[in-house]
Amino acid sequence: MTQNFPAHQFRQQNSSFEGIDMAATISEPIVQFRNIGKTYDGKSNVLEGLNLDVARGEFVTLLGASGSGKTTLLMILAGFEAATEGEVLLNGRPLARVPAYKRNMGVVFQNYALFPHMSVSKNVAYPLVRRGVPRAEIRTRVDEALDMIHMREFSDRLPAQLSGGQQQRVALARAIVYRPDVILMDEPLGALDKNLRETMQMEIKRLHSQLGTTVVYVTHDQSEALTMSDRIAVFEKGQILQVGSPSEIYERPRSSYVANFIGEINNIGGEVVAVEGGICRLRTPDGTELCGADVLSARVGDQMTLAVRPENVCLRAGGDEGLRGEVTNVIYHGDHVRYEVRTRSSGHLLVRGSTDESLRLGHGDRVSLTWDENKARVLDGAASGLAGARE
Ligand code: ADP
């Protein structure tokens, strides 16, 4: 989708030698979370020291495992929960004393039920009726909103006469009909089956580019986050570990947690033996030396993990370069072949290979694994083995 904010708006916050845009703050944000803390029970912190800015028109996704605090942050923005610490600004103004109904934010939740006794058009009209919009204007705006979601012909139906996907479309129309400053969505597609979910993802993206409204979207589904967002904020235990565009998050994770949460990745543990020119050399327990980008300014002697995606590993029959191993499984996927390779001291690793018959390797073949050192990342921890993609 087209971004309706210039890329240069992003200001570097946590600078690094890689020049990665780690910006949690941006110029002219519409929403600013400043040092947000939240506890429900006065003992454990559900959110801690959380900072994030959202640009006008941006689609930002809060991504993380269940219980990491995404919904709590959304509730604080909506005004349904209060932060224990810090403040939220909308257009530069603190929201603390602004009640939820005055925040001009549309909300779509997984279980945010439509009013069952009201027709589709009455449901969509409801926010306008509450705001005292004149009746003729309500009719026009409801029709516009229903046209946008291709549901005009269903305007007289009751919610029970609609499918799950159609109901979520109506919930979307109800959220956009009063032209809110920000639309908040919490797992809005969580209850839908896979195909419908993918269709609705496209629909939401289309609406976003059409309307140019700012969207803050919550999901635990990494592929949904990658395909829909301008930027993703990865949550773990009430903190944001990394903020970046989908490609930054996927290609340049800054921690093992982020690397493993998004997509599949091979983790190879070892000890740092040299660091030079942004490249870190790691020695695995069997003495093999491997290189990857030095993301965390490692020092010689540190135990670290080299993380490399299966599609970035080059597999060769025989060879004495890089890691050596033996093919233990070959799975044909049509557009690629997946190889599982058992290595001596780094566990089972996964490689995405070409389907070209002449290059095809088989079970039991001895192979070597190499990669472009800039496509591997030396991160925290010292675990080895493959981390699978999560749902
Ligand atoms: P997520 O959206 O990432 O799944 P939540 O924000 O829903 O995470 O929850 C974060 C943590 O806060 C969880 O441990 C959850 O049990 C707790 N929590 C959420 N809402 C409440 C509440 N109303 N009262 C007490 N604890 C809550």
Side-chain angles (χ1 to χ4, degrees):
M1 62 149 291
T2 52
Q3 297 197 342
N4 24 22
F5 51 89
H8 68 258
Q9 240 186 24
F10 292 98
R11 167 156 42 87
Q12 199 131 318
Q13 190 197 34
N14 304 345
S15 60
S16 87
F17 64 87
E18 285 185 307
I20 290 176
D21 181 3
M22 281 287 294
T25 60
I26 45 179
S27 58
E28 292 176 49
I30 184 167
V31 175
Q32 291 166 277
F33 295 102
R34 289 215 183 129
N35 203 26
I36 299 291
K38 172 72 179 175
T39 173
Y40 286 104
D41 58 8
K43 287 180 239 149
S44 54
N45 290 326
V46 167
L47 297 173
E48 213 173 338
L50 191 145
N51 291 289
L52 178 67
D53 287 0
V54 179
R56 189 175 302 281
E58 196 180 15
F59 193 119
V60 168
T61 296
L62 315 181
L63 173 70
S66 173
S68 57
K70 311 176 299 288
T71 297
T72 299
L73 191 68
L74 209 66
M75 292 296 142
I76 290 171
L77 178 55
F80 301 143
E81 285 290 347
T84 319
E85 274 178 50
E87 61 176 358
V88 186
L89 309 179
L90 181 67
N91 291 315
R93 283 194 291 275
L95 278 178
R97 288 184 217 295
V98 183
Y101 69 93
K102 285 199 175 153
R103 293 191 181 190
N104 204 28
M105 292 181 192
V107 288
V108 185
F109 296 149
Q110 182 178 333
N111 300 314
Y112 201 64
L114 300 172
F115 300 115
H117 58 287
M118 285 188 194
S119 68
V120 163
S121 57
K122 289 229 165 74
N123 263 285
V124 176
Y126 183 77
L128 300 175
V129 173
R130 273 199 55 184
R131 285 169 171 77
V133 174
R135 201 181 290 178
E137 191 181 337
I138 291 182
R139 201 166 309 132
T140 318
R141 280 168 65 174
V142 167
D143 285 350
E144 266 172 25
L146 289 177
D147 280 343
M148 270 190 195
I149 53 148
H150 311 302
M151 291 283 289
R152 180 90 162 255
E153 74 222 69
F154 296 94
S155 57
D156 295 328
R157 291 225 189 148
L158 290 172
Q161 296 168 313
L162 302 174
S163 71
Q166 289 169 332
Q167 288 186 32
Q168 262 324 47
R169 280 214 180 100
V170 176
L172 267 178
R174 191 172 61 179
I176 60 175
V177 74
Y178 58 97
R179 298 166 192 157
D181 291 329
V182 186
I183 301 180
L184 313 183
M185 302 195 199
D186 190 351
E187 305 267 5
L189 311 181
L192 308 180
D193 68 40
K194 189 168 177 290
N195 283 345
L196 192 52
R197 210 160 66 207
E198 282 167 9
T199 311
M200 288 294 289
Q201 286 171 4
M202 306 291 279
E203 193 100 327
I204 291 174
K205 280 191 67 156
R206 183 181 58 77
L207 274 178
H208 173 236
S209 36
Q210 218 170 322
L211 298 169
T213 314
T214 311
V215 176
V216 183
Y217 192 94
V218 163
T219 185
H220 67 278
D221 180 335
Q222 40 116 1
S223 71
E224 190 162 289
L226 287 177
T227 53
M228 296 183 78
S229 322
D230 293 320
R231 281 191 307 151
I232 300 172
V234 183
F235 275 59
E236 192 207 16
K237 295 187 185 138
Q239 295 188 323
I240 293 178
L241 295 187
Q242 188 170 350
V243 185
S245 68
S247 63
E248 279 164 0
I249 296 283
Y250 184 82
E251 290 165 25
R252 300 205 291 275
R254 299 191 56 80
S255 60
S256 280
Y257 184 87
V258 172
N260 286 279
F261 193 79
I262 315 253
E264 288 177 315
I265 202 150
N266 295 299
N267 298 294
I268 302 164
E271 184 181 325
V272 176
V273 291
V275 184
E276 207 186 334
I279 297 294
C280 190
R281 182 177 288 273
L282 211 68
R283 186 181 293 138
T284 67
D286 73 356
T288 312
E289 294 196 356
L290 306 168
C291 290
D294 174 33
V295 181
L296 303 175
S297 304
R299 283 173 309 190
V300 170
D302 287 348
Q303 290 295 322
M304 304 291 274
T305 296
L306 183 144
V308 59
R309 301 243 177 240
E311 65 270 28
N312 291 329
V313 179
C314 173
L315 198 61
R316 275 197 203 90
D320 51 8
E321 255 187 292
L323 262 186
R324 260 134 303 155
E326 185 183 316
V327 175
T328 53
N329 204 2
V330 183
I331 304 163
Y332 181 75
H333 279 264
D335 60 341
H336 72 277
V337 178
R338 277 163 76 97
Y339 294 100
E340 272 171 40
V341 177
R342 186 176 58 226
T343 62
R344 218 179 319 150
S345 67
S346 305
H348 276 85
L349 302 179
L350 187 68
V351 183
R352 268 176 85 116
S354 150
T355 52
D356 187 336
E357 296 262 6
S358 64
L359 302 175
R360 202 81 62 77
L361 294 158
H363 187 275
D365 283 352
R366 302 211 149 267
V367 290
S368 65
L369 295 84
T370 54
W371 48 83
D372 171 346
E373 56 198 22
N374 291 303
K375 297 226 160 146
R377 320 246 323 144
V378 177
L379 302 170
D380 52 298
S384 280
L386 170 74
R390 298 173 195 203
E391 231 309 274

